Amino acid sequence: MMQFSRKLDIARGKIELSHGSGGRASAQLVNEIFYPAFANNLLSAGNDQAIFPSPAGRLAMSTDSFVVSPLFFPGGDIGALAVNGVINDLAMGGAQPLYLSASFIIEEGFSFAELRQIAENMGATARSAGVMIVTGDTKVVERGKADGVFITTAGVGVIQDGVNLSGDRARPGDSVILSGSLGDHGVAVMMARQNLGFDTHVESDCAALHELVAAMLATAGPSIRLMRDPTRGGLAATLNEIAQQSQVGFRLREADIPIKPDVTAVCELLGLDPLNVANEGKLIAIVDADVAPALLAQMRAHPLGRDAALIGTVVDDAHRFVEMETKFGGRRVVDWLSGEQLPRIC
Amino acid sequence: MMQFSRKLDIARGKIELSHGSGGRASAQLVNEIFYPAFANNLLSAGNDQAIFPSPAGRLAMSTDSFVVSPLFFPGGDIGALAVNGVINDLAMGGAQPLYLSASFIIEEGFSFAELRQIAENMGATARSAGVMIVTGDTKVVERGKADGVFITTAGVGVIQDGVNLSGDRARPGDSVILSGSLGDHGVAVMMARQNLGFDTHVESDCAALHELVAAMLATAGPSIRLMRDPTRGGLAATLNEIAQQSQVGFRLREADIPIKPDVTAVCELLGLDPLNVANEGKLIAIVDADVAPALLAQMRAHPLGRDAALIGTVVDDAHRFVEMETKFGGRRVVDWLSGEQLPRIC
């Protein structure tokens, strides 16, 4: 650990361009904010790269950038989102997440206090998920050339033999399982952003799903075709993507899709379709219909799968349509959005 | 590959918020710009993560964000920089780089044409270095909330048994080798930014150093203590960092440090010290003095080491000072900058 003549004034200090210079100020920022928050020897070795043993098996690698606005919202913040987001992308491939990188693009004038809070949330989120943030970078851009802070995480995980999940494996007859209620994250961020002040309390579902995934794989491994987390674009975008990759269609039952009453109410007021709204702690699994009931029961026993539901079926469809039987007995196509309803939701 | 009713209008089109929505527009952007540019099946499988065999040995992981301004400059662009930058961070740990991720934060209104050019440069740079960009992400923020495009790359590589490079391994008596001339990248970007129009032509040294590193390790493996690329903050920051990590000092000889006359001239005009200026295709190696002459000869036989030079020695120094014998026979301390001379140089 390096010594500096004066410690950073966390309570009142702000990011300056010099904190991105690669010089002494950069070193102090990393030493006094990131090393203590992320707390592991691979990172604090202070090399340009982290080095660790190569695990046996196949590796998964993923990355995501986070530009959410506002940075803090009920149920989470950009830091927790950045850690859980990349963990979930790895978990959806059936991987056990192991090592993360974190890179920060910070606007000049951003407060040390908020940066430290974000870093501490990242460290805590990583520790509770059993992963390490082992390497990183910090860049600073002039005032007005970014918006507070943007964070990009990347992650590496290991996949056990026999686990083969991929977006092209859905087959007609398969069941579609959703791990819980839709729209919580998007609605929580939207309400925080617009300061709507409705008399409702919706929290982001921001959570790391890898332990739920590990439990599901242990029970139903080879019968799970694929998993995916319906983030930006929501369930609608995710299922349309899979329909293209697997060359199939979907039939959903609206009555079976869990959505909290408060989320439904806010979506109605704002003119949003909850099927397009982002989630940050939910997954969909496409599974062999034979294992669906047992898998569902097991998921409901896990805190992150308590509201899991069987919401539909994979069908043969030359048009690759996602269709839904509505609560009123009709049927509608669930298309993905072509415009942007909720910019900067993650 | 998905089909869209109309192709992107690359020549005239611009990024809209919808290209970051996770919906159809996002999918089209990725399909028509990034998949063709990066061209590999791991990426175009279209999953949230890339999956590949775990190589035997130890893994290295690294990340860097790039915010360089302007995006294009003599000798390179932000895309080539983003690929070579993370390759070099892996190579400095002695790793053979294998797989990269690339994540883009794009300002609304950025042109498709420039984005495609950057993506194509990244693809070409990766291919020529023998690495694959296997996973990525794209976010879009509103006009005025970013500056064109920011790119974050992360990478994974494999380290052979017996290779052990780390910033804490420099020992008094070791030799300091620099692979070529200092300051080219920083001066090239600075001149492009300020449109200075001097009658000099300086190009960025932006290059992937992993093949030079592999050749050096093959010759002098166990006698190489550490390598590092003097990017932001230049040679001064890099050696001061190592002095802290290894608890040593350095004595450099100014007359032995290669700097091109044009770079010297521009630095004098702008009041910059070339020892603080960023490089993107140079490395310093701290090596056992016994192997330095042979290693130097070998480096000079490689196109990226043609101007390699022995520039100084590691010394015992309780103050961890980097000192330099000047050309005029004096001695000065080479401190790292506490302010910021050249913001957004990478």
Side-chain angles (χ1 to χ4, degrees), chain A residues 59-65 85-93 99 101 152-157 228-229 232 241 245, chain B residues 30 34-35 37-52 61-63 82-83 86 98-104 122-123 126 131-139 151-156:
Chain A
L59 293 180
M61 180 178 189
S62 190
T63 190
D64 262 326
S65 286
V86 77
I87 286 175
N88 290 347
D89 277 347
L90 293 170
M92 295 307 107
Y99 302 102
S101 66
T152 301
T153 43
V156 169
R228 197 157 288 181
D229 54 337
R232 267 185 306 179
E241 235 176 76
Q245 282 182 276
Chain B
V30 169
F34 295 114
Y35 285 176
F38 299 163
N40 67 76
N41 291 336
L42 288 179
L43 177 69
S44 50
N47 290 315
D48 287 342
Q49 70 297 118
I51 297 175
F52 42 81
M61 181 178 188
S62 190
T63 190
V83 170
V86 77
L98 298 172
Y99 302 103
L100 306 190
S101 65
S103 198
F104 297 79
M122 293 179 76
V131 303
M132 285 195 286
I133 301 170
V134 294
T135 191
D137 187 37
T138 308
K139 292 291 193 309
I151 303 177
T152 302
T153 43
V156 169

Coordinates of all heavy atoms in Angstrom, one line a residue, chain A residues 59-65 85-93 99 101 152-157 228-229 232 241 245, chain B residues 30 34-35 37-52 61-63 82-83 86 98-104 122-123 126 131-139 151-156:
Chain A
L59 N -14.5 -22.4 -20.0 CA -14.7 -21.0 -19.4 C -15.8 -20.3 -20.1 O -16.0 -20.5 -21.3 CB -13.4 -20.2 -19.6 CG -12.2 -20.7 -18.8 CD1 -11.0 -19.8 -19.1 CD2 -12.5 -20.7 -17.3
A60 N -16.5 -19.4 -19.3 CA -17.4 -18.5 -19.9 C -16.9 -17.1 -19.7 O -16.3 -16.8 -18.6 CB -18.8 -18.6 -19.3
M61 N -17.1 -16.2 -20.6 CA -16.6 -14.8 -20.5 C -17.8 -13.9 -20.9 O -18.4 -14.2 -21.9 CB -15.4 -14.5 -21.3 CG -14.8 -13.1 -21.2 SD -13.3 -13.0 -22.3 CE -12.8 -11.3 -21.7
S62 N -18.0 -12.8 -20.2 CA -19.0 -11.9 -20.5 C -18.7 -10.5 -20.1 O -17.8 -10.3 -19.3 CB -20.3 -12.3 -19.9 OG -21.4 -11.6 -20.4
T63 N -19.3 -9.5 -20.7 CA -19.1 -8.1 -20.3 C -20.4 -7.3 -20.5 O -21.3 -7.7 -21.2 CB -18.0 -7.4 -21.2 OG1 -17.7 -6.2 -20.6 CG2 -18.5 -7.2 -22.6
D64 N -20.5 -6.2 -19.7 CA -21.7 -5.3 -19.8 C -21.2 -3.9 -19.3 O -20.4 -3.8 -18.4 CB -22.8 -5.7 -18.9 CG -23.9 -6.5 -19.6 OD1 -24.2 -6.2 -20.8 OD2 -24.5 -7.4 -19.0
S65 N -21.7 -2.9 -20.0 CA -21.5 -1.5 -19.6 C -22.8 -1.1 -18.9 O -23.9 -1.4 -19.3 CB -21.2 -0.6 -20.7 OG -19.9 -0.8 -21.2
G85 N -25.0 -7.9 -12.8 CA -25.3 -8.0 -14.2 C -24.3 -9.0 -14.9 O -24.8 -9.8 -15.7
V86 N -23.1 -8.8 -14.6 CA -22.1 -9.7 -15.3 C -22.1 -11.1 -14.7 O -22.0 -12.1 -15.4 CB -20.7 -9.1 -15.4 CG1 -20.0 -9.1 -14.1 CG2 -19.9 -9.7 -16.5
I87 N -22.4 -11.2 -13.4 CA -22.6 -12.5 -12.8 C -23.7 -13.2 -13.4 O -23.6 -14.4 -13.8 CB -22.9 -12.4 -11.2 CG1 -21.6 -12.0 -10.5 CG2 -23.5 -13.6 -10.7 CD1 -21.8 -11.7 -9.0
N88 N -24.8 -12.5 -13.7 CA -26.0 -13.2 -14.3 C -25.7 -13.6 -15.7 O -26.2 -14.7 -16.2 CB -27.2 -12.3 -14.2 CG -27.7 -12.1 -12.7 OD1 -27.3 -12.9 -11.9 ND2 -28.5 -11.2 -12.5
D89 N -25.0 -12.8 -16.5 CA -24.7 -13.2 -17.9 C -23.9 -14.4 -17.9 O -24.0 -15.3 -18.8 CB -23.9 -12.0 -18.6 CG -24.9 -11.0 -19.2 OD1 -26.1 -11.2 -19.2 OD2 -24.4 -9.9 -19.6
L90 N -23.0 -14.6 -16.9 CA -22.2 -15.8 -16.8 C -23.1 -17.0 -16.4 O -23.0 -18.1 -17.0 CB -21.0 -15.7 -15.8 CG -19.9 -14.7 -16.3 CD1 -19.0 -14.4 -15.1 CD2 -19.2 -15.2 -17.5
A91 N -23.9 -16.7 -15.4 CA -24.8 -17.8 -14.8 C -25.7 -18.3 -15.9 O -26.0 -19.5 -15.9 CB -25.5 -17.3 -13.6
M92 N -26.2 -17.4 -16.8 CA -27.1 -17.9 -17.8 C -26.5 -18.9 -18.8 O -27.2 -19.6 -19.5 CB -27.7 -16.7 -18.6 CG -28.5 -15.7 -17.8 SD -29.9 -16.5 -16.9 CE -29.3 -16.4 -15.2
G93 N -25.2 -18.9 -18.8 CA -24.5 -19.9 -19.6 C -24.2 -21.2 -18.8 O -23.5 -22.1 -19.2
Y99 N -14.1 -14.5 -11.4 CA -13.3 -13.3 -11.4 C -14.0 -12.2 -12.2 O -14.4 -12.5 -13.3 CB -11.9 -13.6 -11.9 CG -11.2 -14.7 -11.2 CD1 -11.1 -16.0 -11.7 CD2 -10.6 -14.5 -9.9 CE1 -10.5 -17.0 -11.0 CE2 -10.0 -15.5 -9.2 CZ -9.9 -16.8 -9.8 OH -9.3 -17.8 -9.1
S101 N -13.6 -8.1 -13.7 CA -12.9 -6.8 -13.8 C -13.9 -5.7 -13.7 O -15.1 -5.9 -14.0 CB -12.2 -6.8 -15.2 OG -13.1 -6.7 -16.3
T152 N -18.1 -0.5 -16.5 CA -18.1 -1.7 -17.4 C -17.4 -2.8 -16.6 O -16.3 -2.7 -16.1 CB -17.3 -1.4 -18.7 OG1 -17.9 -0.3 -19.4 CG2 -17.3 -2.7 -19.6
T153 N -18.2 -3.9 -16.4 CA -17.6 -5.1 -15.8 C -17.4 -6.2 -16.8 O -18.2 -6.2 -17.8 CB -18.5 -5.6 -14.7 OG1 -19.9 -5.5 -15.1 CG2 -18.4 -4.7 -13.4
A154 N -16.5 -7.0 -16.6 CA -16.3 -8.2 -17.4 C -16.1 -9.3 -16.4 O -15.7 -9.1 -15.3 CB -15.2 -8.2 -18.4
G155 N -16.4 -10.6 -16.8 CA -16.3 -11.7 -15.8 C -15.9 -12.9 -16.5 O -16.2 -13.1 -17.7
V156 N -15.3 -13.8 -15.7 CA -14.9 -15.1 -16.2 C -15.5 -16.2 -15.2 O -15.4 -15.9 -14.0 CB -13.4 -15.2 -16.3 CG1 -12.9 -16.7 -16.5 CG2 -12.8 -14.4 -17.4
G157 N -16.0 -17.2 -15.7 CA -16.5 -18.3 -14.9 C -16.2 -19.6 -15.5 O -15.7 -19.7 -16.6
R228 N -31.9 -17.4 -19.7 CA -31.5 -16.0 -20.1 C -32.2 -15.1 -19.1 O -33.3 -15.3 -18.6 CB -31.9 -15.7 -21.5 CG -31.2 -14.5 -22.1 CD -31.1 -14.5 -23.6 NE -30.2 -15.5 -24.1 CZ -30.0 -15.7 -25.4 NH1 -30.6 -14.9 -26.3 NH2 -29.1 -16.6 -25.8
D229 N -31.5 -14.0 -18.8 CA -32.1 -13.0 -17.9 C -32.7 -11.8 -18.7 O -32.0 -11.2 -19.5 CB -31.1 -12.5 -16.9 CG -29.8 -11.9 -17.5 OD1 -29.4 -12.3 -18.6 OD2 -29.1 -11.1 -16.8
R232 N -32.6 -5.3 -20.3 CA -33.1 -4.4 -21.3 C -34.0 -5.0 -22.3 O -33.6 -6.0 -22.9 CB -31.9 -3.8 -22.1 CG -31.3 -2.6 -21.6 CD -30.2 -2.2 -22.6 NE -29.3 -3.2 -23.0 CZ -28.3 -3.1 -23.8 NH1 -28.1 -2.0 -24.5 NH2 -27.4 -4.1 -24.1
E241 N -35.6 -12.9 -29.2 CA -34.2 -13.3 -29.5 C -34.0 -14.8 -29.6 O -33.5 -15.3 -30.5 CB -33.3 -12.8 -28.4 CG -32.2 -11.9 -28.8 CD -31.4 -11.4 -27.5 OE1 -30.7 -12.2 -26.9 OE2 -31.7 -10.2 -27.1
Q245 N -32.9 -17.3 -32.6 CA -31.8 -18.2 -32.4 C -32.2 -19.7 -32.6 O -31.5 -20.5 -33.2 CB -31.1 -18.1 -31.1 CG -30.2 -16.8 -31.0 CD -29.6 -16.8 -29.6 OE1 -30.1 -16.3 -28.6 NE2 -28.3 -17.3 -29.5
Chain B
V30 N -25.9 -4.7 -33.8 CA -24.9 -5.7 -33.5 C -24.8 -6.7 -34.7 O -23.6 -7.0 -35.1 CB -25.4 -6.5 -32.3 CG1 -24.6 -7.8 -32.1 CG2 -25.3 -5.6 -31.0
F34 N -21.2 -5.1 -35.7 CA -20.2 -5.8 -34.9 C -19.9 -7.2 -35.3 O -18.8 -7.6 -35.4 CB -20.6 -5.7 -33.4 CG -20.5 -4.3 -32.9 CD1 -21.7 -3.7 -32.4 CD2 -19.4 -3.6 -32.8 CE1 -21.7 -2.4 -32.0 CE2 -19.3 -2.3 -32.4 CZ -20.5 -1.7 -31.9
Y35 N -21.0 -8.0 -35.6 CA -20.7 -9.4 -36.0 C -19.8 -9.5 -37.3 O -18.8 -10.2 -37.3 CB -22.0 -10.1 -36.3 CG -22.8 -10.5 -35.1 CD1 -24.0 -11.2 -35.2 CD2 -22.3 -10.3 -33.8 CE1 -24.7 -11.5 -34.0 CE2 -23.0 -10.7 -32.7 CZ -24.2 -11.3 -32.8 OH -24.9 -11.7 -31.7
A37 N -17.6 -7.2 -38.4 CA -16.3 -6.7 -38.1 C -15.5 -7.6 -37.3 O -14.3 -7.7 -37.5 CB -16.5 -5.3 -37.4
F38 N -16.1 -8.3 -36.3 CA -15.3 -9.1 -35.4 C -15.3 -10.6 -35.8 O -14.4 -11.3 -35.4 CB -15.9 -9.0 -33.9 CG -15.9 -7.7 -33.4 CD1 -16.7 -7.3 -32.3 CD2 -15.1 -6.6 -33.9 CE1 -16.7 -6.1 -31.7 CE2 -15.1 -5.4 -33.3 CZ -15.9 -5.1 -32.2
A39 N -16.3 -11.0 -36.6 CA -16.2 -12.2 -37.4 C -15.7 -13.5 -36.7 O -14.6 -14.0 -37.0 CB -15.4 -12.0 -38.7
N40 N -16.4 -14.0 -35.7 CA -16.1 -15.3 -35.1 C -17.3 -15.9 -34.6 O -18.3 -15.2 -34.1 CB -14.9 -15.2 -34.1 CG -15.3 -14.5 -32.9 OD1 -16.0 -15.0 -32.0 ND2 -14.9 -13.2 -32.8
N41 N -17.3 -17.2 -34.5 CA -18.6 -18.0 -34.2 C -18.9 -17.9 -32.7 O -20.0 -17.9 -32.3 CB -18.4 -19.4 -34.5 CG -18.4 -19.6 -36.0 OD1 -19.0 -18.7 -36.7 ND2 -17.8 -20.7 -36.5
L42 N -17.9 -17.7 -31.8 CA -18.2 -17.5 -30.4 C -19.0 -16.3 -30.2 O -19.9 -16.3 -29.4 CB -16.8 -17.4 -29.6 CG -16.0 -18.7 -29.5 CD1 -14.7 -18.5 -28.7 CD2 -16.8 -19.8 -28.9
L43 N -18.7 -15.2 -30.9 CA -19.5 -14.0 -30.7 C -20.8 -14.1 -31.4 O -21.9 -13.8 -30.8 CB -18.7 -12.8 -31.4 CG -19.4 -11.5 -31.3 CD1 -19.5 -10.9 -29.9 CD2 -18.7 -10.5 -32.2
S44 N -20.8 -14.6 -32.6 CA -22.1 -14.6 -33.4 C -23.1 -15.7 -32.9 O -24.2 -15.7 -33.4 CB -21.8 -14.5 -34.9 OG -21.0 -15.6 -35.2
A45 N -22.7 -16.5 -32.0 CA -23.6 -17.4 -31.4 C -24.7 -16.6 -30.7 O -25.8 -17.1 -30.5 CB -22.9 -18.3 -30.4
G46 N -24.4 -15.4 -30.3 CA -25.4 -14.5 -29.8 C -25.9 -14.8 -28.4 O -27.0 -14.4 -28.1
N47 N -25.1 -15.4 -27.6 CA -25.5 -15.7 -26.3 C -25.0 -14.5 -25.4 O -24.2 -13.7 -25.8 CB -25.0 -17.0 -25.8 CG -25.7 -18.2 -26.4 OD1 -26.9 -18.1 -26.5 ND2 -25.0 -19.2 -26.9
D48 N -25.4 -14.5 -24.1 CA -25.0 -13.4 -23.2 C -23.5 -13.6 -22.8 O -23.0 -12.8 -22.1 CB -25.9 -13.4 -22.0 CG -27.2 -12.9 -22.3 OD1 -27.4 -12.3 -23.3 OD2 -28.2 -13.2 -21.5
Q49 N -22.9 -14.8 -23.1 CA -21.6 -15.0 -22.7 C -20.9 -15.9 -23.8 O -21.6 -16.6 -24.5 CB -21.5 -15.7 -21.4 CG -22.0 -17.2 -21.3 CD -23.5 -17.4 -21.7 OE1 -23.8 -18.0 -22.6 NE2 -24.4 -16.7 -20.9
A50 N -19.6 -15.8 -23.9 CA -18.9 -16.7 -24.8 C -18.3 -17.9 -24.0 O -17.9 -17.7 -22.9 CB -17.7 -16.0 -25.5
I51 N -18.3 -19.0 -24.6 CA -17.8 -20.2 -23.9 C -16.7 -20.9 -24.7 O -16.8 -21.0 -25.9 CB -19.0 -21.2 -23.7 CG1 -20.0 -20.6 -22.8 CG2 -18.5 -22.5 -23.1 CD1 -21.3 -21.4 -22.6
F52 N -15.6 -21.2 -24.0 CA -14.4 -21.8 -24.7 C -13.7 -22.7 -23.8 O -13.9 -22.6 -22.5 CB -13.5 -20.6 -25.2 CG -13.3 -19.5 -24.3 CD1 -12.4 -19.6 -23.2 CD2 -14.1 -18.3 -24.4 CE1 -12.2 -18.5 -22.4 CE2 -13.9 -17.3 -23.5 CZ -13.0 -17.4 -22.5
M61 N -6.1 -11.9 -16.5 CA -7.3 -11.1 -16.9 C -6.9 -9.7 -16.7 O -6.3 -9.3 -15.8 CB -8.4 -11.5 -16.0 CG -9.7 -10.8 -16.4 SD -11.1 -11.4 -15.3 CE -12.5 -10.6 -16.1
S62 N -7.4 -8.8 -17.7 CA -7.2 -7.4 -17.6 C -8.3 -6.6 -18.2 O -9.0 -7.2 -19.0 CB -5.8 -7.1 -18.3 OG -5.5 -5.8 -18.0
T63 N -8.4 -5.4 -17.9 CA -9.4 -4.5 -18.6 C -8.9 -3.1 -18.7 O -8.0 -2.7 -17.9 CB -10.7 -4.5 -17.8 OG1 -11.7 -3.9 -18.6 CG2 -10.6 -3.8 -16.5
A82 N -8.0 0.1 -28.2 CA -8.7 -0.7 -27.2 C -8.3 -2.1 -27.3 O -8.2 -2.8 -26.3 CB -10.2 -0.5 -27.4
V83 N -8.0 -2.6 -28.5 CA -7.6 -4.0 -28.7 C -6.1 -4.2 -28.2 O -5.8 -5.0 -27.4 CB -7.8 -4.5 -30.1 CG1 -7.1 -5.8 -30.4 CG2 -9.3 -4.5 -30.5
V86 N -5.4 -3.8 -24.3 CA -5.7 -4.9 -23.3 C -4.8 -6.1 -23.7 O -4.3 -6.8 -22.8 CB -7.2 -5.3 -23.3 CG1 -7.6 -6.1 -24.5 CG2 -7.5 -6.1 -22.0
L98 N -5.8 -14.4 -25.5 CA -6.6 -15.4 -26.3 C -8.0 -14.8 -26.6 O -8.4 -14.7 -27.8 CB -6.9 -16.6 -25.4 CG -5.6 -17.4 -25.1 CD1 -6.0 -18.6 -24.1 CD2 -5.0 -18.0 -26.3
Y99 N -8.7 -14.3 -25.6 CA -10.1 -13.9 -25.8 C -10.3 -12.5 -25.3 O -9.9 -12.2 -24.2 CB -11.1 -14.8 -25.1 CG -10.9 -16.3 -25.6 CD1 -10.2 -17.2 -24.8 CD2 -11.4 -16.7 -26.8 CE1 -10.1 -18.5 -25.3 CE2 -11.3 -18.0 -27.3 CZ -10.6 -18.9 -26.5 OH -10.4 -20.2 -26.9
L100 N -11.0 -11.7 -26.1 CA -11.3 -10.3 -25.6 C -12.8 -10.1 -25.6 O -13.6 -10.7 -26.3 CB -10.8 -9.2 -26.6 CG -9.3 -9.3 -26.9 CD1 -8.9 -8.0 -27.7 CD2 -8.4 -9.4 -25.7
S101 N -13.3 -9.2 -24.7 CA -14.6 -8.6 -24.7 C -14.5 -7.2 -25.1 O -13.5 -6.6 -24.9 CB -15.3 -8.8 -23.3 OG -14.6 -8.0 -22.4
A102 N -15.6 -6.6 -25.7 CA -15.6 -5.2 -26.1 C -16.9 -4.6 -25.8 O -18.0 -5.2 -26.2 CB -15.3 -5.1 -27.6
S103 N -16.9 -3.5 -25.0 CA -18.2 -2.9 -24.6 C -18.2 -1.4 -25.0 O -17.2 -0.8 -24.8 CB -18.4 -3.1 -23.1 OG -19.7 -2.9 -22.8
F104 N -19.3 -1.0 -25.6 CA -19.3 0.3 -26.2 C -20.4 1.2 -25.5 O -21.5 0.8 -25.3 CB -19.7 0.2 -27.7 CG -18.8 -0.6 -28.5 CD1 -18.7 -1.9 -28.5 CD2 -17.8 0.1 -29.3 CE1 -17.8 -2.7 -29.3 CE2 -16.9 -0.6 -30.1 CZ -16.9 -2.0 -30.1
M122 N -11.0 -2.6 -35.1 CA -10.8 -3.5 -33.9 C -10.7 -5.0 -34.4 O -9.9 -5.7 -33.9 CB -12.0 -3.4 -33.0 CG -12.1 -2.1 -32.3 SD -13.5 -2.0 -31.2 CE -13.0 -3.0 -29.8
G123 N -11.6 -5.3 -35.3 CA -11.6 -6.7 -35.9 C -10.2 -7.0 -36.5 O -9.6 -8.0 -36.3
A126 N -7.5 -7.3 -34.0 CA -7.6 -8.5 -33.2 C -7.1 -9.7 -34.1 O -6.3 -10.5 -33.6 CB -9.0 -8.8 -32.8
V131 N -6.1 -12.9 -31.7 CA -7.0 -13.0 -30.6 C -8.4 -12.8 -31.2 O -8.6 -12.3 -32.3 CB -6.8 -11.9 -29.5 CG1 -5.4 -12.0 -29.0 CG2 -7.0 -10.5 -30.0
M132 N -9.4 -13.2 -30.4 CA -10.8 -13.1 -30.8 C -11.6 -12.2 -29.9 O -11.5 -12.3 -28.7 CB -11.5 -14.5 -30.9 CG -11.1 -15.3 -32.1 SD -12.2 -16.7 -32.3 CE -11.7 -17.7 -31.0
I133 N -12.5 -11.3 -30.5 CA -13.4 -10.6 -29.6 C -14.7 -11.4 -29.5 O -15.4 -11.5 -30.5 CB -13.7 -9.2 -30.3 CG1 -12.4 -8.4 -30.4 CG2 -14.7 -8.4 -29.5 CD1 -12.5 -7.2 -31.3
V134 N -14.9 -12.0 -28.4 CA -15.9 -13.1 -28.3 C -17.2 -12.7 -27.6 O -18.2 -13.4 -27.7 CB -15.3 -14.3 -27.5 CG1 -14.2 -15.0 -28.4 CG2 -14.8 -14.0 -26.1
T135 N -17.2 -11.5 -27.0 CA -18.5 -11.1 -26.3 C -18.4 -9.6 -26.2 O -17.4 -9.0 -26.3 CB -18.6 -11.9 -25.0 OG1 -19.9 -11.7 -24.5 CG2 -17.6 -11.4 -23.9
G136 N -19.6 -9.0 -26.0 CA -19.6 -7.5 -26.0 C -20.9 -7.0 -25.5 O -21.9 -7.8 -25.2
D137 N -21.0 -5.7 -25.5 CA -22.2 -5.0 -25.1 C -22.3 -3.6 -25.7 O -21.2 -3.1 -26.1 CB -22.3 -4.9 -23.5 CG -23.6 -4.3 -23.0 OD1 -24.7 -4.7 -23.6 OD2 -23.6 -3.5 -22.0
T138 N -23.4 -3.1 -25.9 CA -23.6 -1.7 -26.5 C -24.6 -1.0 -25.7 O -25.7 -1.4 -25.5 CB -24.1 -1.9 -27.9 OG1 -23.3 -2.8 -28.6 CG2 -24.1 -0.5 -28.6
K139 N -24.2 0.2 -25.2 CA -25.2 1.1 -24.5 C -25.2 2.4 -25.2 O -24.1 2.8 -25.8 CB -24.8 1.3 -23.0 CG -24.9 0.1 -22.1 CD -26.4 -0.3 -21.9 CE -26.6 -1.3 -20.8 NZ -25.7 -2.5 -20.9
I151 N -14.9 3.0 -25.3 CA -14.8 1.6 -25.5 C -14.1 1.0 -24.3 O -13.0 1.5 -23.9 CB -14.0 1.2 -26.7 CG1 -14.7 1.8 -28.0 CG2 -14.0 -0.3 -26.9 CD1 -14.0 1.6 -29.3
T152 N -14.6 -0.1 -23.7 CA -13.9 -0.8 -22.7 C -13.7 -2.2 -23.1 O -14.6 -2.9 -23.5 CB -14.8 -0.9 -21.4 OG1 -15.0 0.5 -20.9 CG2 -14.0 -1.6 -20.3
T153 N -12.5 -2.7 -23.1 CA -12.1 -4.0 -23.5 C -11.6 -4.8 -22.2 O -11.1 -4.2 -21.3 CB -11.0 -4.1 -24.6 OG1 -10.0 -3.1 -24.2 CG2 -11.6 -3.8 -25.9
A154 N -11.9 -6.1 -22.2 CA -11.3 -6.9 -21.2 C -10.7 -8.1 -21.9 O -11.1 -8.4 -23.1 CB -12.3 -7.3 -20.1
G155 N -9.7 -8.8 -21.3 CA -9.1 -9.9 -22.0 C -8.7 -10.9 -21.1 O -8.4 -10.7 -19.9
V156 N -8.6 -12.1 -21.6 CA -8.1 -13.3 -20.9 C -7.0 -13.9 -21.7 O -7.0 -14.1 -22.9 CB -9.2 -14.3 -20.7 CG1 -8.7 -15.6 -20.2 CG2 -10.3 -13.8 -19.7

